[in-house]
Amino acid sequence: MMLELKNLKKSYGNKEALKPLNLQLSSGIYGLLGPNGAGKSTFMKLISMLLEPSGGEILFDGKDIRVLKKDFLKVLGYMPQQTCLYPEFGVLEYLYYIGALKGMERKVLFGAAEELLEKVRLSNVKNQKIKTLSGGMQQRLMLAQALLNQPKMVILDEPTAGLDPKKRIEMRNLIAEYARDRIIIIATHVVSDVELIANKILMLDHGSLVAENTAWELTEQLNGRVFEMELNVPLEKLEARYKVSSVCHRKGNIYAKVIVGEEEKQPENGKEVYPDLEDVYLCYFGGEE
Ligand SMILES: Nc1ncnc2c1ncn2[C@@H]1O[C@H](COP(=O)(O)OP(=O)(O)OP(=O)(O)O)[C@@H](O)[C@H]1O
Ligand SMILES: [Mg+2]
């Protein structure tokens, strides 16, 4: 299975939201990172056929998705960034409705709906109206509708927004479980959502793809440049000198993790630590958010 983007681009008026992009995706999980306005949702809406590209094409197993149309939509699951739920619908009723739209066979649909509600932990509210659910519950229902038809291509736009830490981990594990023989793309601001499960990290910056690597390759690039030190000067002073990736309290002391420039040497009183993907993110997008 292969999804190929060829010179894909999108402008809104004269705003270039996505600059000509070339990319090949095979089965696995892709984590799409980038600051607000980078073009993540635009990218995902193009693949979901909700937007017409301004140029270029998208091929699924060698065929243009605009030619495949219905046949592509049948294998696609999309979870939008904004809620797409109908508040007056019941939870189970909503999944039946979506399944019918996707042309699923009744028996398959009934089974899949119950099974997914179990997986996203909504079985106990399956007969309630959607408007009575909490934000996090609605988020999980949106994931369920995206996975309903066993899609080959799964597009998730900020799937963990508004989830508590435990549900966030559950959602991450559920997505990882679904990844076999599927292409899954997850856009997120929460680096830890994808750090562990993504086979590849895609980074978008102002509509351009600036990185396409494994998390390991990306963190490797920062080896020897991340240090932890006790914070004994005002934070602003440290920030003037280094990229400060995090500050933490431990046993009454405050520590800062800093990233030094490529040519810079180890800060005195700094202890080298392993870089993580959040450090990488900060390195790429440090000045922007
Ligand atoms: N319908 C639209 N009309 C005009 N400009 C748009 C439209 N949708 C998006 N944009 C612009 O295109 C750029 C990319 O937007 P997009 O929503 O793809 O970013 P994003 O990476 O998903 O951001 P976020 O992290 O905030 O969700 C932004 O500058 C945005 O203002
Ligand atoms: Mg977005």
Side-chain angles (χ1 to χ4, degrees), residues 12 15 17 34-42 81 158 189:
Y12 302 103
K15 163 93 204 171
N36 290 129
K40 302 181 296 298
S41 294
T42 301
Q81 185 171 10
E158 309 272 351
H189 293 116

Side-chain angles (χ1 to χ4, degrees), residues 89-286:
F89 271 59
V91 169
L92 195 57
E93 184 191 8
Y94 175 73
L95 288 186
Y96 289 169
Y97 171 70
I98 295 294
L101 286 184
K102 291 185 177 188
M104 288 175 73
E105 203 183 303
R106 247 173 110 85
K107 229 172 150 187
V108 178
L109 170 58
F110 286 7
E114 297 275 358
E115 191 186 315
L116 270 169
L117 286 181
E118 197 69 47
K119 286 230 158 103
V120 299
R121 302 193 183 280
L122 291 175
S123 290
N124 55 333
V125 296
K126 67 179 179 190
N127 296 315
Q128 271 174 232
K129 279 194 176 175
I130 288 173
K131 66 178 178 191
T132 69
L133 305 187
S134 73
M137 290 165 126
Q138 296 194 6
Q139 196 73 6
R140 273 137 58 206
L141 181 57
M142 298 232 292
L143 177 68
Q145 66 78 27
L147 299 177
L148 193 57
N149 54 336
Q150 297 273 331
K152 287 268 164 215
M153 235 352 282
V154 184
I155 310 280
L156 308 172
D157 202 348
E158 309 272 351
T160 61
L163 293 187
D164 68 45
K166 182 162 172 271
K167 296 292 183 321
R168 182 179 287 270
I169 292 168
E170 281 178 8
M171 181 169 293
R172 191 170 72 197
N173 293 341
L174 180 64
I175 293 168
E177 184 191 322
Y178 265 82
R180 187 191 295 256
D181 299 326
R182 299 197 156 94
I183 299 175
I184 301 188
I185 310 175
I186 308 171
T188 182
H189 293 116
V190 185
V191 174
S192 62
D193 278 353
V194 291
E195 178 159 28
L196 294 174
I197 60 168
N199 303 89
K200 269 216 177 142
I201 303 292
L202 310 174
M203 298 231 221
L204 269 185
D205 188 18
H206 292 99
S208 300
L209 189 67
V210 293
E212 180 203 345
N213 299 86
T214 63
W216 186 82
E217 283 166 337
L218 289 169
T219 52
E220 177 92 330
Q221 289 168 9
L222 272 190
N223 259 346
R225 289 179 52 197
V226 186
F227 298 90
E228 192 179 73
M229 58 176 81
E230 209 178 315
L231 186 63
N232 42 27
V233 295
L235 184 58
E236 302 85 74
K237 231 176 160 176
L238 203 62
E239 279 175 336
R241 187 86 211 269
Y242 304 110
K243 277 190 171 140
V244 177
S245 115
S246 62
V247 174
C248 70
H249 288 251
R250 216 160 44 220
K251 291 186 185 155
N253 292 322
I254 307 177
Y255 294 89
K257 196 158 95 166
V258 304
I259 305 168
V260 304
E262 247 163 295
E263 303 298 314
E264 252 176 308
K265 35 182 213 291
Q266 169 161 2
E268 45 193 280
N269 75 15
K271 180 178 148 261
E272 189 178 333
V273 291
Y274 285 113
D276 60 27
L277 197 57
E278 210 154 315
D279 301 328
V280 175
Y281 183 96
L282 204 91
C283 229
Y284 275 90
F285 306 116

Side-chain angles (χ1 to χ4, degrees), residues 39-85:
K40 302 181 296 298
S41 294
T42 301
F43 175 86
M44 300 189 118
K45 284 179 193 163
L46 287 169
I47 298 177
S48 307
M49 292 178 70
L50 291 166
L51 279 178
E52 269 292 309
S54 313
E57 53 184 3
I58 304 174
L59 307 177
F60 184 67
D61 284 339
K63 293 186 194 116
D64 193 320
I65 61 170
R66 282 173 291 186
V67 176
L68 289 173
K69 235 185 217 160
K70 264 204 173 140
D71 289 326
F72 180 68
L73 293 176
K74 249 188 219 162
V75 299
L76 175 81
Y78 171 62
M79 174 174 176
Q81 185 171 10
Q82 265 86 34
T83 170
C84 57
L85 303 171

